[in-house]
Amino acid sequence: MRLSMLAVLCPLALCACNPAVKNTIPKVDSIAAIPVTEMTCPVTGETVTVLDEAAFFESFPVYCKGRENARQFASLESSQRARLAAEQVLPQKGIANTTCPLTGEPLTANAAAVSYEGSVIGFASSADAAQFRSLKAEKQAKLIADWKAESSAS
């Protein structure tokens, strides 16, 4: 009787104690955020900190200088917000690059993150990221090597 009451009140208690029960919580690769040392307001270009007003792009905070600037940022068209928020959102996603290795386009806040050999690489769209993931390992390595060589030459 006690065990059944425990199962009703806390069904996870049985799973945690029973090694035969498989864990159903999906395993997610963690992406370590790159600390942002200096941020600028996407509206005014002034230096901001995490203590300033925040607007949001998807679930990522975008800090603005003052409430009115945060409101103005929030009222912009989605594509314009994505372009302006990139400076603050990309580091929160763990992305250090600023151009897409596949297309060469500048990254926006909509960039898709892909974990590759221990680092996170941003792609201009989720379609670009899916295309990269579908490549064989040799082609992925060649694409990244060519992209790194091209970006260091610039």
Side-chain angles (χ1 to χ4, degrees):
M1 180 68 175
R2 264 190 163 175
L3 186 57
S4 63
M5 287 295 283
L6 180 61
V8 169
L9 295 174
C10 186
L12 292 177
L14 293 177
C15 295
C17 298
N18 188 351
V21 175
K22 296 215 182 234
N23 186 354
T24 59
I25 299 172
K27 185 175 184 299
V28 178
D29 291 337
S30 62
I31 297 176
I34 299 169
V36 178
T37 54
E38 187 174 298
M39 299 180 289
T40 58
C41 173
V43 177
T44 65
E46 296 176 72
T47 302
V48 293
T49 67
V50 295
L51 300 176
D52 285 304
E53 293 291 327
F56 285 86
F57 182 84
E58 294 174 351
S59 61
F60 300 99
V62 177
Y63 298 98
C64 300
K65 200 64 165 178
R67 183 170 291 164
E68 190 54 41
N69 290 324
R71 284 185 185 144
Q72 184 177 350
F73 174 80
S75 70
L76 295 173
E77 184 180 301
S78 178
S79 61
Q80 191 173 10
R81 280 187 294 125
R83 189 176 47 77
L84 293 173
E87 177 192 337
Q88 293 186 36
V89 173
L90 292 178
Q92 292 178 56
K93 289 184 173 184
I95 299 172
N97 58 305
T98 57
T99 59
C100 178
L102 203 60
T103 63
E105 294 176 44
L107 297 182
T108 66
N110 288 325
V114 173
S115 182
Y116 177 76
E117 293 185 354
S119 61
V120 179
I121 300 173
F123 287 84
S125 67
S126 56
D128 292 343
Q131 184 178 351
F132 176 78
R133 285 188 196 104
S134 71
L135 296 174
K136 293 184 179 182
E138 302 84 38
K139 288 195 176 195
Q140 285 181 344
K142 182 175 178 357
L143 178 78
I144 296 300
D146 291 347
W147 169 68
K148 285 183 177 179
E150 186 178 302
S151 59
S152 66
S154 298

